[in-house]
Amino acid sequence: MKFRIHRYNPETDKKPWMQDVEVDIDSSEMVRDALLRIKAKDETLVFRHSCGEGVCGSDAININGVNGLGCLTRLSTLKEPIEIRPVPGMPIVRDLVVDMEQFYKQYRAVKPYLIVKDPEPEIEYQQTPEQREKLDGLYECILCGCCSTFCPSFWWNPDKFRGPAALLQAYRFLADSRDQATEERLADLDGPYKMFRCHTIMNCVNVCPKGLNPTKAINEIKKMMLKDMI
Amino acid sequence: MTARALGLRTWLLQRLSALYMAVYTVIALFWLYLSGPIDFVAWQELLAHPLINIFTQLFIYSLLAHAWIGVKDIFIDYVPNTRLRFVLFITISLLQIILAFWTFMAFYGVVRL
């Protein structure tokens, strides 16, 4: 199968370039397998990967123009030559590896942890099954960054707009019956940038390898803000 | 204007103005369809009615507010230079105020109380 792979080594290359590679591989295998096959021949190729089954979120790449996980994208679903690039909008470290700091910074900014003001319970926090159900479709995020790095609003304002991944997590804690910082979280997200840069483009929904829906989460936050205002 | 006002409140205003324009357009089109061809005198008669005058004015203010928010969003997205963005923002806001004033003058001129 034919591949075109984005190559850039800041120490030797002036500009990024595309390398044409042919690999003898069965189309039932995944993109990650092909990259490993290529690396076995040319060890200078650099990319991130770890678990190989869509759990760690390390190998987010841009495949034929669409973000996805290398380990979950089957070769048979792709048109040749398969173009593999780093996820867009992020500073490139080398080949397919990008600097994710901006993404993590936005994630940290939504305080992705329970904030409880009451004294902590002696044994454990309790939730009804219904309260727990509200977290389905939110907690499964693996922070691969496919969504945020495919969001035009995040490309234009990565320093100010939280991005779909961080906003999904913001709602994950707003929806949690145990969290007691709803007011503060909502107040923090108001204003023109942090959440309202979202124009419901829904690229995030299209590319999420876990099938999550950040746009819906963002709408739920807007609804909570509205109720809070009224 | 605080930064906070440009978040939830403008977002809400954009939705409410859209809703108003949608409802107004459907009713207006239906009305015009029923009343058949209309000449200049008939237009003046129609807009001389205070209620129709006010609802039509509201439609244009909604359009202006809706457009102002949309253009402001485009500036925030695509004009990263703060100084240029500020100049554009002031220009579009002044233009909107002038248009709103002009609308008021035009409609106030034809209304019969």
Side-chain angles (χ1 to χ4, degrees), chain A residues 129-210:
Chain A
E130 292 75 30
Q131 287 170 331
R132 168 62 189 77
E133 223 168 66
K134 285 191 178 162
L135 307 182
D136 288 342
L138 302 172
Y139 79 93
E140 298 94 331
C141 174
I142 56 173
L143 293 178
C144 62
C146 279
C147 57
S148 289
T149 60
F150 212 48
C151 170
S153 287
F154 192 71
W155 297 337
W156 312 148
N157 291 294
D159 50 337
K160 301 189 194 92
F161 177 49
R162 294 276 179 254
L167 289 169
L168 185 89
Q169 287 315 298
Y171 183 59
R172 182 245 170 277
F173 288 94
L174 281 165
D176 196 313
S177 60
R178 301 164 293 179
D179 191 83
Q180 294 176 339
T182 306
E183 293 281 323
E184 293 92 317
R185 290 182 192 278
L186 290 179
D188 178 65
L189 288 174
D190 203 351
Y193 284 107
K194 291 171 183 169
M195 182 176 70
F196 285 97
R197 278 308 81 215
C198 169
H199 305 310
T200 52
I201 298 163
M202 294 177 86
N203 271 8
C204 52
V205 184
N206 280 342
V207 297
C208 178
K210 307 301 278 184

Coordinates of all heavy atoms in Angstrom, one line a residue, chain A residues 129-210:
Chain A
P129 N -28.0 5.6 40.9 CA -27.7 5.2 39.5 C -28.1 6.2 38.5 O -27.4 6.4 37.5 CB -28.6 3.9 39.3 CG -28.8 3.4 40.7 CD -28.8 4.6 41.6
E130 N -29.2 7.0 38.8 CA -29.6 8.1 37.8 C -28.5 9.2 37.8 O -28.2 9.7 36.7 CB -30.9 8.7 38.2 CG -32.1 7.7 38.0 CD -32.2 6.7 39.1 OE1 -31.7 7.0 40.3 OE2 -32.7 5.6 38.9
Q131 N -28.0 9.5 38.9 CA -27.0 10.6 39.0 C -25.7 10.1 38.3 O -25.1 10.9 37.6 CB -26.7 11.0 40.4 CG -27.8 11.7 41.1 CD -27.6 11.9 42.6 OE1 -26.9 11.0 43.3 NE2 -28.1 13.0 43.2
R132 N -25.4 8.9 38.5 CA -24.2 8.3 37.8 C -24.4 8.2 36.3 O -23.4 8.5 35.6 CB -23.9 6.9 38.4 CG -22.9 6.1 37.7 CD -21.5 6.7 37.7 NE -20.6 6.0 36.8 CZ -20.6 6.1 35.5 NH1 -21.5 6.9 34.9 NH2 -19.8 5.4 34.8
E133 N -25.6 8.0 35.9 CA -25.9 7.8 34.4 C -25.5 9.1 33.7 O -25.2 9.1 32.5 CB -27.3 7.5 34.2 CG -27.6 6.4 33.2 CD -29.0 5.9 33.3 OE1 -29.9 6.7 33.0 OE2 -29.2 4.8 33.7
K134 N -25.7 10.3 34.4 CA -25.4 11.6 33.7 C -24.0 11.7 33.3 O -23.7 12.5 32.4 CB -25.8 12.7 34.7 CG -27.2 12.9 34.8 CD -27.5 14.2 35.6 CE -29.0 14.4 35.7 NZ -29.3 15.4 36.7
L135 N -23.1 10.9 33.8 CA -21.7 11.0 33.5 C -21.3 10.2 32.3 O -20.2 10.3 31.7 CB -20.8 10.7 34.7 CG -21.1 11.4 36.0 CD1 -20.2 11.0 37.1 CD2 -21.1 12.9 35.7
D136 N -22.2 9.3 31.8 CA -22.0 8.5 30.6 C -21.8 9.4 29.4 O -22.6 10.3 29.3 CB -23.1 7.5 30.4 CG -23.1 6.4 31.4 OD1 -22.0 6.2 32.1 OD2 -24.1 5.7 31.6
G137 N -20.9 9.1 28.6 CA -20.6 9.9 27.4 C -19.8 11.1 27.7 O -19.5 12.0 26.9
L138 N -19.3 11.2 29.0 CA -18.5 12.3 29.4 C -17.1 11.8 29.9 O -16.1 12.3 29.6 CB -19.2 13.2 30.4 CG -20.5 13.8 30.1 CD1 -21.2 14.4 31.3 CD2 -20.4 14.8 29.0
Y139 N -17.2 10.8 30.8 CA -16.0 10.4 31.5 C -15.1 9.5 30.6 O -13.9 9.3 31.0 CB -16.4 9.5 32.8 CG -16.8 8.1 32.4 CD1 -15.9 7.1 32.5 CD2 -18.1 7.8 32.0 CE1 -16.2 5.8 32.2 CE2 -18.5 6.5 31.7 CZ -17.5 5.5 31.8 OH -17.8 4.2 31.4
E140 N -15.6 9.1 29.5 CA -14.8 8.1 28.6 C -13.7 8.8 27.9 O -12.9 8.1 27.2 CB -15.7 7.4 27.6 CG -16.8 6.6 28.2 CD -18.2 7.3 28.4 OE1 -18.1 8.5 28.6 OE2 -19.2 6.7 28.3
C141 N -13.6 10.2 27.9 CA -12.6 10.9 27.1 C -11.2 10.4 27.5 O -10.9 10.3 28.7 CB -12.8 12.4 27.4 SG -11.5 13.3 26.6
I142 N -10.4 10.2 26.4 CA -9.0 9.7 26.7 C -8.0 10.8 26.5 O -6.8 10.6 26.4 CB -8.7 8.5 25.8 CG1 -8.9 8.8 24.3 CG2 -9.5 7.3 26.3 CD1 -8.5 7.7 23.4
L143 N -8.5 12.0 26.2 CA -7.6 13.2 26.0 C -6.6 13.0 24.9 O -5.4 13.4 25.0 CB -6.9 13.5 27.3 CG -7.7 14.0 28.5 CD1 -6.9 14.3 29.7 CD2 -8.4 15.3 28.1
C144 N -7.0 12.4 23.8 CA -6.1 12.2 22.7 C -5.9 13.5 21.9 O -4.9 13.7 21.3 CB -6.7 11.1 21.7 SG -8.3 11.5 20.9
G145 N -6.9 14.4 22.0 CA -6.8 15.7 21.4 C -7.3 15.7 19.9 O -7.2 16.8 19.3
C146 N -7.9 14.7 19.4 CA -8.4 14.6 18.1 C -9.4 15.8 17.9 O -9.4 16.5 16.8 CB -9.1 13.3 17.8 SG -8.0 12.0 17.3
C147 N -10.3 16.0 18.8 CA -11.4 17.0 18.7 C -10.8 18.4 18.7 O -11.1 19.2 17.8 CB -12.4 16.8 19.8 SG -11.8 16.9 21.4
S148 N -10.1 18.8 19.7 CA -9.7 20.2 19.9 C -8.8 20.6 18.7 O -8.8 21.7 18.2 CB -8.9 20.4 21.2 OG -9.9 20.3 22.3
T149 N -7.9 19.7 18.3 CA -7.0 20.0 17.2 C -7.6 20.0 15.8 O -7.0 20.2 14.8 CB -5.7 19.1 17.2 OG1 -6.1 17.7 17.0 CG2 -4.9 19.2 18.5
F150 N -8.9 19.6 15.8 CA -9.7 19.6 14.5 C -10.7 20.7 14.5 O -11.6 20.8 13.6 CB -10.3 18.3 14.2 CG -10.3 17.9 12.7 CD1 -9.2 18.1 11.9 CD2 -11.5 17.4 12.2 CE1 -9.3 17.8 10.6 CE2 -11.6 17.1 10.8 CZ -10.5 17.3 10.0
C151 N -10.7 21.6 15.6 CA -11.7 22.6 15.8 C -11.2 23.9 15.3 O -10.2 24.5 15.8 CB -12.1 22.7 17.2 SG -13.1 24.1 17.6
P152 N -11.8 24.5 14.2 CA -11.3 25.8 13.7 C -11.2 26.9 14.8 O -10.3 27.6 14.8 CB -12.3 26.2 12.6 CG -12.8 24.8 12.2 CD -12.9 24.0 13.4
S153 N -12.2 26.9 15.7 CA -12.2 27.9 16.7 C -10.9 27.7 17.6 O -10.4 28.7 18.1 CB -13.4 27.8 17.6 OG -14.5 28.3 16.9
F154 N -10.5 26.5 17.8 CA -9.3 26.2 18.6 C -8.1 26.6 17.8 O -7.1 27.0 18.4 CB -9.3 24.7 19.0 CG -8.2 24.4 20.1 CD1 -8.4 24.9 21.4 CD2 -7.1 23.7 19.8 CE1 -7.5 24.6 22.4 CE2 -6.1 23.5 20.8 CZ -6.3 23.9 22.1
W155 N -8.1 26.5 16.5 CA -7.0 26.9 15.7 C -6.8 28.4 15.8 O -5.7 28.9 15.9 CB -7.2 26.6 14.2 CG -7.3 25.1 13.9 CD1 -6.8 24.1 14.6 CD2 -7.9 24.5 12.7 NE1 -7.1 22.9 14.0 CE2 -7.7 23.1 12.9 CE3 -8.5 25.0 11.6 CZ2 -8.2 22.2 11.9 CZ3 -9.0 24.1 10.7 CH2 -8.9 22.7 10.8
W156 N -7.9 29.2 15.8 CA -7.7 30.6 15.8 C -7.4 31.1 17.1 O -6.6 32.1 17.3 CB -9.0 31.3 15.3 CG -9.6 30.8 14.0 CD1 -11.0 30.8 13.7 CD2 -9.0 30.2 12.9 NE1 -11.1 30.2 12.5 CE2 -10.0 29.8 11.9 CE3 -7.6 29.9 12.5 CZ2 -9.7 29.2 10.7 CZ3 -7.3 29.3 11.3 CH2 -8.4 29.0 10.4
N157 N -7.9 30.5 18.2 CA -7.7 31.1 19.5 C -7.3 30.0 20.5 O -8.0 29.8 21.6 CB -8.9 31.8 20.1 CG -9.2 33.1 19.3 OD1 -8.4 34.0 19.4 ND2 -10.3 33.1 18.6
P158 N -6.2 29.2 20.3 CA -5.9 28.1 21.2 C -5.5 28.6 22.6 O -5.5 27.8 23.5 CB -4.7 27.5 20.5 CG -4.1 28.5 19.6 CD -5.2 29.4 19.2
D159 N -5.1 29.9 22.7 CA -4.7 30.3 24.0 C -5.8 30.8 24.8 O -5.8 30.9 26.1 CB -3.7 31.5 23.9 CG -4.2 32.6 22.9 OD1 -5.0 32.2 22.0 OD2 -3.7 33.7 23.0
K160 N -7.0 31.1 24.2 CA -8.1 31.7 24.9 C -9.4 30.7 25.0 O -10.1 30.7 25.9 CB -8.5 33.0 24.4 CG -7.4 34.0 24.4 CD -7.9 35.4 24.1 CE -6.8 36.4 23.8 NZ -6.5 36.4 22.3
F161 N -9.6 30.0 23.9 CA -10.7 29.1 23.8 C -10.4 27.8 24.4 O -9.3 27.2 24.1 CB -11.1 28.9 22.3 CG -12.2 28.0 22.1 CD1 -13.4 28.0 22.8 CD2 -12.1 27.0 21.1 CE1 -14.5 27.1 22.6 CE2 -13.1 26.1 20.9 CZ -14.3 26.2 21.6
R162 N -11.2 27.3 25.3 CA -10.9 26.1 26.0 C -10.8 24.8 25.1 O -10.1 23.9 25.3 CB -12.0 25.8 27.1 CG -12.0 26.8 28.2 CD -11.0 26.5 29.2 NE -11.0 27.5 30.3 CZ -10.1 28.4 30.5 NH1 -9.0 28.5 29.6 NH2 -10.1 29.3 31.5
G163 N -11.6 24.8 24.0 CA -11.6 23.7 23.1 C -12.5 22.6 23.5 O -12.9 22.5 24.7
P164 N -13.0 21.8 22.6 CA -14.0 20.8 22.9 C -13.7 19.8 24.0 O -14.5 19.4 24.8 CB -14.3 20.1 21.5 CG -13.2 20.6 20.6 CD -12.7 21.9 21.1
A165 N -12.4 19.3 24.0 CA -12.0 18.3 25.0 C -12.2 18.9 26.4 O -12.8 18.2 27.3 CB -10.6 17.8 24.7
A166 N -11.6 20.1 26.6 CA -11.7 20.7 27.9 C -13.1 21.0 28.3 O -13.5 20.9 29.5 CB -10.8 21.9 28.0
L167 N -13.9 21.4 27.4 CA -15.3 21.8 27.7 C -16.1 20.6 28.0 O -17.0 20.6 28.8 CB -15.9 22.6 26.5 CG -15.4 24.0 26.4 CD1 -15.8 24.7 25.1 CD2 -15.8 24.9 27.6
L168 N -15.8 19.5 27.3 CA -16.5 18.2 27.7 C -16.2 17.8 29.1 O -17.1 17.4 29.9 CB -16.0 17.1 26.7 CG -16.8 15.7 26.9 CD1 -18.0 15.7 26.0 CD2 -15.9 14.6 26.6
Q169 N -15.0 18.0 29.5 CA -14.6 17.7 30.9 C -15.2 18.7 31.9 O -15.6 18.4 33.0 CB -13.0 17.7 31.0 CG -12.4 16.5 30.4 CD -13.2 15.2 30.8 OE1 -13.3 14.8 31.9 NE2 -13.7 14.5 29.8
A170 N -15.3 20.0 31.4 CA -15.9 21.0 32.3 C -17.4 20.6 32.6 O -17.8 20.6 33.7 CB -16.0 22.4 31.6
Y171 N -18.1 20.1 31.6 CA -19.4 19.6 31.8 C -19.5 18.3 32.6 O -20.4 18.1 33.4 CB -20.2 19.4 30.5 CG -21.6 19.0 30.7 CD1 -22.5 19.8 31.4 CD2 -22.1 17.8 30.2 CE1 -23.8 19.5 31.7 CE2 -23.4 17.4 30.5 CZ -24.3 18.3 31.2 OH -25.5 17.9 31.5
R172 N -18.4 17.5 32.4 CA -18.4 16.2 33.2 C -18.4 16.5 34.7 O -19.0 15.8 35.5 CB -17.1 15.4 32.8 CG -17.0 14.1 33.5 CD -15.8 14.2 34.5 NE -15.8 13.0 35.4 CZ -16.4 12.9 36.5 NH1 -17.3 13.9 36.8 NH2 -16.3 11.8 37.2
F173 N -17.8 17.6 35.1 CA -17.8 18.0 36.5 C -19.0 18.8 36.9 O -19.5 18.8 38.0 CB -16.5 18.6 37.0 CG -15.4 17.6 37.0 CD1 -14.6 17.4 35.9 CD2 -15.3 16.7 38.1 CE1 -13.6 16.4 35.9 CE2 -14.3 15.7 38.1 CZ -13.5 15.5 37.0
L174 N -19.6 19.6 35.9 CA -20.8 20.4 36.2 C -22.0 19.4 36.4 O -22.9 19.6 37.1 CB -21.1 21.3 35.0 CG -20.3 22.6 35.0 CD1 -20.4 23.3 33.6 CD2 -20.8 23.5 36.1
A175 N -21.9 18.3 35.7 CA -23.0 17.3 35.7 C -22.9 16.3 36.9 O -23.8 15.6 37.1 CB -23.1 16.5 34.4
D176 N -21.8 16.4 37.6 CA -21.5 15.4 38.7 C -22.3 15.9 39.9 O -22.0 17.0 40.4 CB -20.0 15.3 38.9 CG -19.7 14.1 39.7 OD1 -20.4 13.9 40.8 OD2 -18.8 13.4 39.3
S177 N -23.1 15.0 40.5 CA -23.9 15.4 41.6 C -23.0 15.7 42.8 O -23.5 16.3 43.8 CB -24.9 14.3 42.0 OG -24.2 13.1 42.2
R178 N -21.8 15.2 42.8 CA -21.0 15.3 44.0 C -20.2 16.7 44.0 O -19.7 17.1 45.0 CB -19.9 14.2 44.1 CG -20.6 12.8 44.2 CD -19.6 11.7 43.8 NE -19.2 11.8 42.4 CZ -18.3 11.0 41.9 NH1 -17.7 10.0 42.6 NH2 -18.0 11.1 40.6
D179 N -20.1 17.3 42.8 CA -19.4 18.5 42.7 C -20.1 19.7 43.3 O -21.3 19.8 43.1 CB -19.0 18.8 41.3 CG -18.0 19.9 41.1 OD1 -16.8 19.6 41.2 OD2 -18.4 21.1 40.9
Q180 N -19.5 20.6 44.0 CA -20.2 21.7 44.6 C -19.7 23.1 44.2 O -19.8 24.1 44.9 CB -20.0 21.6 46.2 CG -20.7 20.4 46.7 CD -20.5 20.2 48.2 OE1 -19.6 20.7 48.8 NE2 -21.4 19.5 48.8
A181 N -19.1 23.1 43.0 CA -18.5 24.4 42.5 C -19.2 24.8 41.2 O -18.6 25.5 40.4 CB -17.0 24.3 42.3
T182 N -20.5 24.5 41.1 CA -21.2 24.8 39.8 C -21.2 26.3 39.5 O -20.8 26.7 38.4 CB -22.7 24.4 40.0 OG1 -22.7 23.0 40.4 CG2 -23.5 24.5 38.7
E183 N -21.5 27.1 40.5 CA -21.5 28.6 40.2 C -20.2 29.1 39.7 O -20.1 29.8 38.7 CB -21.8 29.3 41.6 CG -23.2 29.1 42.1 CD -24.3 29.9 41.3 OE1 -23.9 31.1 41.0 OE2 -25.4 29.4 41.1
E184 N -19.1 28.7 40.4 CA -17.8 29.2 40.0 C -17.4 28.7 38.6 O -16.9 29.4 37.8 CB -16.7 28.7 41.0 CG -16.9 29.3 42.4 CD -17.7 28.4 43.3 OE1 -18.8 27.9 42.8 OE2 -17.3 28.3 44.5
R185 N -17.7 27.4 38.3 CA -17.4 26.8 37.0 C -18.1 27.6 35.9 O -17.6 27.9 34.9 CB -17.8 25.4 37.0 CG -16.9 24.5 37.8 CD -17.3 23.0 37.7 NE -16.7 22.2 38.7 CZ -15.5 21.7 38.6 NH1 -14.7 21.9 37.6 NH2 -15.0 20.9 39.6
L186 N -19.4 27.9 36.1 CA -20.2 28.6 35.1 C -19.7 30.0 34.9 O -19.5 30.5 33.8 CB -21.7 28.6 35.5 CG -22.4 27.2 35.4 CD1 -23.9 27.4 35.8 CD2 -22.4 26.6 34.0
A187 N -19.4 30.7 36.0 CA -18.9 32.0 35.9 C -17.6 32.1 35.2 O -17.4 33.0 34.4 CB -18.8 32.6 37.3
D188 N -16.8 31.1 35.4 CA -15.5 31.1 34.8 C -15.6 30.9 33.2 O -14.8 31.4 32.5 CB -14.6 29.9 35.3 CG -13.3 29.9 34.7 OD1 -12.5 30.8 34.8 OD2 -13.0 28.9 34.0
L189 N -16.6 30.2 32.8 CA -16.7 29.9 31.4 C -17.4 31.0 30.6 O -17.5 30.9 29.3 CB -17.5 28.5 31.1 CG -16.7 27.3 31.5 CD1 -17.5 26.1 31.4 CD2 -15.4 27.2 30.6
D190 N -18.1 31.9 31.3 CA -18.7 33.0 30.6 C -17.7 33.9 29.9 O -16.5 33.8 30.2 CB -19.7 33.8 31.5 CG -20.8 34.5 30.7 OD1 -20.7 34.5 29.5 OD2 -21.7 35.0 31.4
G191 N -18.2 34.9 29.1 CA -17.3 35.7 28.4 C -17.1 35.3 26.9 O -17.6 34.2 26.6
P192 N -16.5 36.1 26.1 CA -16.5 35.8 24.7 C -15.6 34.7 24.2 O -15.8 34.1 23.2 CB -16.0 37.1 24.0 CG -15.3 37.9 25.1 CD -15.9 37.4 26.4
Y193 N -14.6 34.3 25.0 CA -13.6 33.4 24.5 C -13.7 31.9 25.0 O -13.8 31.0 24.2 CB -12.2 33.8 24.9 CG -11.7 35.0 24.1 CD1 -11.7 36.3 24.6 CD2 -11.4 34.8 22.7 CE1 -11.2 37.3 23.8 CE2 -10.9 35.8 21.9 CZ -10.9 37.1 22.5 OH -10.4 38.1 21.7
K194 N -13.8 31.7 26.3 CA -13.5 30.4 26.9 C -14.5 29.4 26.4 O -14.0 28.2 26.1 CB -13.6 30.5 28.4 CG -12.5 31.3 29.0 CD -12.7 31.5 30.5 CE -11.6 32.4 31.0 NZ -11.9 32.8 32.4
M195 N -15.8 29.7 26.2 CA -16.7 28.7 25.7 C -17.4 29.2 24.4 O -17.7 28.5 23.5 CB -17.7 28.3 26.7 CG -18.7 27.2 26.2 SD -19.8 26.6 27.4 CE -20.9 28.1 27.6
F196 N -17.7 30.5 24.4 CA -18.5 31.1 23.3 C -17.8 31.3 22.0 O -18.4 31.8 21.1 CB -19.2 32.4 23.8 CG -20.4 32.1 24.8 CD1 -20.2 32.2 26.1 CD2 -21.6 31.7 24.3 CE1 -21.2 31.9 27.0 CE2 -22.6 31.4 25.1 CZ -22.4 31.5 26.5
R197 N -16.6 30.8 21.9 CA -15.9 30.7 20.6 C -16.5 29.5 19.8 O -16.3 29.4 18.6 CB -14.4 30.6 20.7 CG -13.6 31.8 20.9 CD -13.8 32.9 20.0 NE -14.9 33.7 20.4 CZ -15.7 34.3 19.5 NH1 -15.5 34.2 18.2 NH2 -16.7 35.0 19.9
C198 N -17.2 28.6 20.5 CA -17.8 27.5 19.8 C -18.9 27.9 18.9 O -19.8 28.6 19.4 CB -18.3 26.4 20.8 SG -19.3 25.2 20.1
H199 N -18.8 27.6 17.6 CA -19.9 28.0 16.7 C -20.6 26.7 16.2 O -21.1 26.7 15.1 CB -19.3 28.8 15.5 CG -18.5 30.0 15.9 ND1 -19.0 30.9 16.8 CD2 -17.3 30.4 15.6 CE1 -18.1 31.9 17.0 NE2 -17.1 31.6 16.3
T200 N -20.6 25.7 17.0 CA -21.2 24.4 16.7 C -20.9 23.9 15.2 O -21.7 23.5 14.5 CB -22.8 24.4 16.8 OG1 -23.3 25.5 16.1 CG2 -23.2 24.5 18.2
I201 N -19.6 23.9 15.0 CA -19.1 23.4 13.7 C -19.1 21.9 13.7 O -19.4 21.3 12.7 CB -17.6 23.9 13.5 CG1 -17.6 25.4 13.4 CG2 -17.0 23.3 12.2 CD1 -16.3 26.1 13.6
M202 N -19.0 21.3 14.9 CA -19.2 19.9 15.1 C -18.1 19.0 14.5 O -18.3 17.8 14.3 CB -20.6 19.4 14.7 CG -21.6 20.0 15.6 SD -23.3 19.6 15.2 CE -23.5 18.1 16.1
N203 N -16.9 19.6 14.1 CA -15.8 18.7 13.7 C -15.4 17.8 14.9 O -15.0 16.7 14.6 CB -14.6 19.6 13.4 CG -14.5 20.0 12.0 OD1 -15.5 19.8 11.2 ND2 -13.4 20.7 11.6
C204 N -15.6 18.3 16.1 CA -15.2 17.5 17.3 C -16.0 16.2 17.3 O -15.4 15.1 17.6 CB -15.4 18.3 18.5 SG -17.0 19.0 18.7
V205 N -17.3 16.3 17.0 CA -18.2 15.2 17.1 C -17.8 14.2 16.0 O -17.8 12.9 16.2 CB -19.6 15.6 17.0 CG1 -20.6 14.4 17.1 CG2 -20.0 16.6 18.0
N206 N -17.5 14.7 14.8 CA -17.1 13.8 13.7 C -15.9 13.0 13.9 O -15.8 11.9 13.4 CB -16.9 14.7 12.4 CG -18.3 15.1 11.8 OD1 -19.3 14.4 12.1 ND2 -18.3 16.1 10.9
V207 N -14.9 13.6 14.6 CA -13.6 12.9 14.7 C -13.4 12.1 16.0 O -12.5 11.3 16.1 CB -12.4 13.8 14.5 CG1 -12.5 14.4 13.1 CG2 -12.3 14.9 15.5
C208 N -14.2 12.3 17.0 CA -14.0 11.7 18.3 C -13.9 10.2 18.2 O -14.9 9.5 17.8 CB -15.0 12.0 19.4 SG -14.7 11.2 20.9
P209 N -12.7 9.6 18.4 CA -12.6 8.1 18.3 C -13.4 7.3 19.3 O -13.6 6.1 19.1 CB -11.1 7.9 18.4 CG -10.6 9.1 19.1 CD -11.5 10.2 18.9
K210 N -13.9 8.0 20.4 CA -14.6 7.3 21.4 C -16.1 7.5 21.2 O -17.0 7.2 22.0 CB -14.2 7.7 22.8 CG -12.8 7.6 23.1 CD -12.2 6.2 23.0 CE -12.5 5.4 24.2 NZ -11.9 4.0 24.1

